[in-house]
Amino acid sequence: AARVQLEEVAMLAVLARQVLARALIAIPMIFALSVVVFVVLRMLPADPLAMMLPPTATPTEIESLRAALGLDRSLPVQYGIWLSHALHGDLGRSITSGETVTHLIATTLPATVELSVVALVFSLIISIPGGLLLYALNKRRGELLADSFVVLLISVPSFLWGIFLMLLLGVMWPILPFSDRFGADIAPPKTTGFALIDFLLRGDFHAWGNAFSHLLLPALALALGFAPLIIRVLRASLLEAAGEQYAMVARLRGQSDTRIVLRHMFKNAALPTLTLIGVQFGFLFGGTLLIEMIFSFPGLGNLMVQAVRNHDLPLIQGIALVFCVIILVINTCVDCLYTVVNPRLRDA
């Protein structure tokens, strides 16, 4: 018991060091990103004031509004003001809607996170059995066909899967809804902002089913673009693990191939696969932008497109910063999970 407690303490110490190291690295990265986004947006030829003023506005009115928004000051001064407010949780106000950027992000971020997590679950449901099946077909009839099919899946991007699924299951055979987050008769979630969690908390299973059905097509489109790469990496890891000494010893002991794969090889093959999932999940989260546009899903990606379309500089800056922070958090969580799964890293 004492040894187990010491191992747990050592693991917690390693996790704490990793989180601290990531946090120290993340601070300058977020700062650098904020500087780049701030400067690049203000170098664009688009004038955000054009979205706020009528065509009949006089030069005096334009200059007055520019001074009120602080756009007449130098870039370092503008950035200093923005950074000072951002450190206090104030990311400014949207130029087009007048609402605070923090409020707009807080109301749309849960939808994007929910979509990304459901898509990740779907992709694991597809990729883990797929990787095991592709490994089982190694040097057997059907291997070339299965491998070619996976390569074909990799070649199709998520947004194209979204269009295919919408046309197939939403238009030709109207089985699933393909627009919005839930039906117009459903009261929006207010407790956590996550529809699937809030509807369960209030015991409204009809609303939960409605929200889940609206998630199916966009989440499946993201999963189909994400899963094939995991399938190939998992298969390659299993092929490598099959040549390890522990697998050979297990075969000499008369254990079945299925038992060797599931009890011994899979755990070791999952380590590089886990790393890939962590790296690719950041791309999946960013890939929600096009999917949300296709399915009219009211998430952070949809909000970003509207902000770019309206040249809403404060909103674009806030969303870009949030995306950066979320991806850094995801990578930190994956590193910590990798340390938990791989005991050799605890002594590093």
Side-chain angles (χ1 to χ4, degrees):
R3 181 179 179 181
V4 173
Q5 290 180 351
L6 288 175
E7 290 179 354
E8 291 178 351
V9 170
M11 183 177 66
L12 290 175
V14 173
L15 293 178
R17 287 200 304 269
Q18 284 190 347
V19 172
L20 180 60
R22 280 284 185 175
L24 294 175
I25 296 173
I27 293 173
M29 289 178 63
I30 294 173
F31 174 76
L33 177 72
S34 66
V35 172
V36 171
V37 172
F38 192 92
V39 172
V40 169
L41 288 178
R42 277 152 182 80
M43 292 176 63
L44 296 176
D47 187 2
L49 297 182
M51 305 298 299
M52 306 177 63
L53 293 171
T56 58
T58 64
T60 303
E61 292 174 336
I62 295 175
E63 291 304 319
S64 176
L65 181 59
R66 191 182 302 277
L69 295 176
L71 298 177
D72 59 335
R73 303 183 182 183
S74 63
L75 282 181
V77 174
Q78 290 184 44
Y79 178 77
I81 295 173
W82 178 83
L83 182 62
S84 175
H85 291 165
L87 292 176
H88 292 85
D90 180 11
L91 297 176
R93 286 186 173 273
S94 168
I95 291 177
T96 51
S97 68
E99 296 185 67
T100 63
V101 172
T102 305
H103 172 72
L104 290 172
I105 292 176
T107 55
T108 54
L109 179 59
T112 298
V113 172
E114 194 169 54
L115 173 61
S116 301
V117 170
V118 174
L120 177 62
V121 172
F122 283 176
S123 67
L124 293 178
I125 293 173
I126 297 170
S127 59
I128 292 177
L132 293 172
L133 176 62
L134 203 60
Y135 168 77
L137 291 174
N138 184 42
K139 297 180 180 179
R140 296 183 182 180
R141 183 181 300 176
E143 179 189 8
L144 180 60
L145 180 62
D147 194 40
S148 301
F149 180 70
V150 173
V151 172
L152 177 63
L153 293 180
I154 293 176
S155 305
V156 181
S158 295
F159 74 89
L160 200 54
W161 279 119
I163 295 173
F164 288 159
L165 292 172
M166 178 187 293
L167 292 175
L168 185 65
L169 300 178
V171 178
M172 292 180 61
W173 294 290
I175 300 173
L176 293 169
F178 57 88
S179 178
D180 218 332
R181 195 180 178 192
F182 35 75
D185 59 327
I186 305 296
K190 296 181 179 180
T191 306
T192 65
F194 297 96
L196 297 183
I197 296 177
D198 285 355
F199 292 150
L200 278 181
L201 290 177
R202 71 189 196 198
D204 192 343
F205 297 104
H206 168 71
W208 189 93
N210 186 276
F212 185 72
S213 66
H214 279 76
L215 271 174
L216 281 175
L217 288 183
L220 187 58
L222 285 170
L224 288 173
F226 184 62
L229 187 58
I230 302 176
I231 291 175
R232 290 184 64 85
V233 172
L234 179 58
R235 181 227 188 183
S237 300
L238 287 170
L239 288 174
E240 184 179 352
E244 296 291 336
Q245 185 175 3
Y246 65 86
M248 297 179 182
V249 171
R251 292 191 193 95
L252 293 175
R253 291 179 177 176
Q255 296 186 18
S256 65
D257 290 340
T258 303
R259 181 183 178 89
I260 295 171
V261 170
L262 296 181
R263 293 202 58 181
H264 303 288
M265 292 167 50
F266 181 76
K267 182 169 63 174
N268 293 307
L271 295 177
T273 307
L274 179 63
T275 303
L276 175 70
I277 291 173
V279 173
Q280 291 295 318
F281 185 66
F283 292 105
L284 182 146
F285 187 82
T288 58
L289 188 147
L290 285 176
I291 293 297
E292 288 180 2
M293 285 296 298
I294 292 171
F295 290 95
S296 300
F297 196 81
L300 195 62
N302 213 332
L303 184 67
M304 181 61 146
V305 172
Q306 295 175 14
V308 172
R309 185 180 298 163
N310 297 325
H311 311 303
D312 198 331
L313 302 186
L315 190 53
I316 296 173
Q317 290 169 190
I319 295 175
L321 189 64
V322 168
F323 265 109
C324 178
V325 171
I326 290 176
I327 291 176
L328 287 173
V329 169
I330 291 171
N331 290 333
T332 301
C333 292
V334 171
D335 286 345
C336 293
L337 183 59
Y338 197 88
T339 302
V340 172
V341 176
N342 190 355
R344 289 176 295 182
L345 294 179
R346 300 171 196 171
D347 300 326

